Amino acid sequence: MSATAALSEPQVLAHAKRRLFPDPNEANTYAVTDTQFAMAEWLPGEPISETVRERLAPFNHVRLGSGYPDLVGVRALESDLLAVERFGADPPLVAVEAKGYTGAGSVDVETGVLQAYDRLHEANAAYVAAPSDAVSQSTRTLARELNVGVLAVESDGSVAPLELPRVVGNRTADAATSIRFQATAQGVADKSFSLNHPKNYLAYPLALFHPEDTESVLAENVVRDAEGARTGAAFLGLIAERPDGVDITPLGEEVVRFALNRYATLDDAVDAFRQWKRSQKRFCTIAPEWGLLTRRVVWSYPATQLLVEELQAMYEDGLSDPSLVDLVEWLHVHHPSFAIELFIRGTTAVRGRVLDGDGELRRNALEDGDVYHSPTVYQLKAMLFHAGILAERGREPHNLAPSSDSWRLRTPVVANR
């Protein structure tokens, strides 16, 4: 028996993921594993260990090319993993197909090469990962001809790149867009939005531009949670966080210009925020001009346009007052990867409850508020309410009744016929 004969496909994939995506918290990095690997068993009588599943999480069913890669992600890979070091400003979208030993004692690596090649219709780089003993010279030759990378996995978990792929350009599919979005500074994360009023984020560029200490200006006039305000402002594209500080973006500068056009001084603009502290009223109602600015800023957030377009489509299809469950089901039909990444928490337990091995929704699980991503169903929804886009505000997951939680547009477009 070969040294790597005990390596199953989930184990091979877990080692390959660790080599390609070693730090899930790295900037501009995000990767998901296909839902088939979230199951308790890989083959009958062959369980997937909890350790392996945790390494492979989060899970989603992402279509690239004509199928679903075992792993898809975005990251600026090291030069020893690619045939070229330069691939443009954006990190490449990477697809991985894994092959491991089965009960029959064989590994079909060549099929993995062909599957990886198919993913290059929409990915920038593709790899096949397999036990090192199963990679033949002919397989390496085929992979080289098809521009597919080969990752040889050893029994100790080490991974050696035997063939390096060249980065290619391609069209961007909806599924690929959702993964790219998650890898950006604006991707949905556990800490994307922790405050549920847009004024806290709009005020940040004003406080940053103010000559006095940013946190002090925020605490005195707007909100004490400066970190939450900063994080949300970054997700809305008002500022850009760097290791050594924070820069205001062109959109953030526009907020400052807006304020200076309406107030005599920056102090006056910041002071205006005091009257809105702890206010529960719709922002666009009590501060119409700031509400219009909020609408512009929130609309620039990539997820907003998708949500509004699909809610409008639901309205036109007769679903004028969709529940959260209705919306997620609808989105999963039209934009399945986005639906899961935007609304469903990324833990192994939750994704395993919501999705079956084929990536299909388990509707019963959607009735439980705890499966939902709080920054979307609470904070983002609340901001869309204050901007005048949605009719109702958001609720925390533990207070959600998903089947009755309304996502009705405040002003749907009604065609004149």
Side-chain angles (χ1 to χ4, degrees):
M1 180 180 291
S2 66
T4 60
L7 286 173
S8 67
E9 189 167 315
Q11 291 172 317
V12 167
L13 188 60
H15 294 315
K17 182 185 180 185
R18 185 169 53 188
R19 179 69 173 85
L20 295 172
F21 302 93
D23 181 6
N25 297 316
E26 181 182 355
N28 299 318
T29 296
Y30 186 73
V32 293
T33 303
D34 190 69
T35 50
Q36 63 181 316
F37 295 94
M39 302 299 102
E41 289 188 335
W42 174 244
L43 296 172
E46 186 179 313
I48 302 176
S49 73
E50 190 64 28
T51 300
V52 168
R53 285 197 293 167
E54 287 300 324
R55 288 177 183 171
L56 292 175
F59 301 95
N60 202 344
H61 200 47
V62 180
R63 186 180 182 91
L64 291 183
S66 65
Y68 299 85
D70 294 334
L71 177 70
V72 58
V74 173
R75 180 173 176 258
L77 300 178
E78 292 81 8
S79 59
D80 64 340
L81 290 167
L82 295 171
V84 292
E85 294 187 25
R86 298 182 63 84
F87 43 79
D90 298 323
L93 182 74
V94 178
V96 181
E97 295 291 344
K99 295 298 175 183
Y101 282 100
T102 65
S106 61
V107 185
D108 191 0
V109 186
E110 288 196 359
T111 294
V113 172
L114 296 175
Q115 290 172 329
Y117 173 68
D118 175 76
R119 312 307 178 230
L120 286 175
H121 287 87
E122 292 163 7
N124 300 120
Y127 295 86
V128 62
S132 59
D133 291 350
V135 180
S136 66
Q137 190 58 49
S138 61
T139 298
R140 292 183 59 175
T141 300
L142 176 63
R144 195 180 311 124
E145 292 174 350
L146 296 180
N147 189 30
V148 170
V150 177
L151 302 175
V153 180
E154 301 291 347
S155 57
D156 63 359
S158 60
V159 178
L162 301 182
E163 300 294 337
L164 305 182
R166 302 181 307 279
V167 173
V168 298
N170 46 56
R171 64 183 183 276
T172 300
D174 181 75
T177 300
S178 69
I179 303 304
R180 287 195 182 282
F181 169 58
Q182 285 290 59
T184 68
Q186 292 185 308
V188 180
D190 289 337
K191 296 182 180 179
S192 51
F193 300 114
S194 59
L195 304 172
N196 59 12
H197 201 300
K199 68 176 177 58
N200 300 313
Y201 306 130
L202 289 175
Y204 199 89
L206 302 181
L208 185 65
F209 197 72
H210 198 281
E212 296 181 12
D213 177 68
T214 300
E215 292 191 10
S216 298
V217 171
L218 285 170
E220 182 178 351
N221 299 281
V222 189
V223 65
R224 291 191 177 277
D225 186 2
E227 182 179 354
R230 182 180 67 250
T231 300
F235 273 83
L236 287 174
L238 299 171
I239 60 171
E241 295 183 286
R242 298 177 288 99
D244 58 341
V246 177
D247 288 332
I248 191 169
T249 65
L251 184 60
E253 290 177 343
E254 185 61 22
V255 173
V256 175
R257 292 190 190 95
F258 175 89
L260 293 177
N261 280 336
R262 285 156 179 78
Y263 299 92
T265 66
L266 190 60
D267 280 325
D268 291 339
V270 171
D271 187 63
F273 278 75
R274 290 189 185 187
Q275 64 184 302
W276 303 318
K277 268 190 172 184
R278 291 178 289 278
S279 172
Q280 297 296 311
K281 296 180 180 179
R282 193 190 292 267
F283 194 39
C284 65
T285 301
I286 63 174
E289 287 190 329
W290 280 101
L292 288 175
L293 179 64
T294 298
R295 195 180 188 107
R296 175 184 172 184
V297 170
V298 172
W299 186 260
S300 71
Y301 183 65
T304 300
Q305 185 172 351
L306 174 73
L307 284 172
V308 173
E309 288 177 351
E310 293 306 324
L311 286 169
Q312 176 66 34
M314 295 176 77
Y315 176 85
E316 294 170 0
D317 202 48
L319 293 170
S320 60
D321 189 10
S323 70
L324 176 57
V325 174
D326 294 332
L327 176 57
V328 173
E329 286 187 309
W330 175 283
L331 283 176
H332 196 259
V333 171
H334 300 280
H335 307 277
S337 297
F338 259 119
I340 298 304
E341 298 301 332
L342 189 61
F343 280 92
I344 306 302
R345 290 167 52 205
T347 66
T348 303
V350 168
R351 293 282 172 97
R353 284 182 60 197
V354 172
L355 296 171
D356 65 18
D358 295 322
E360 296 300 320
L361 282 176
R362 294 188 173 105
R363 192 186 191 284
N364 289 344
L366 298 180
E367 301 287 347
D368 182 359
D370 286 336
V371 305
Y372 292 97
H373 195 55
S374 176
T376 299
V377 299
Y378 182 33
Q379 285 88 358
L380 177 59
K381 188 185 178 188
M383 288 193 291
L384 296 178
F385 166 82
H386 283 293
I389 295 173
L390 292 182
E392 295 190 11
R393 67 177 77 240
R395 291 179 175 83
E396 295 186 67
H398 69 270
N399 287 328
L400 267 180
S403 60
S404 59
D405 184 58
S406 173
W407 282 71
R408 183 175 76 256
L409 287 173
R410 186 187 186 208
T411 312
V413 176
V414 182
N416 292 320
R417 291 186 176 90

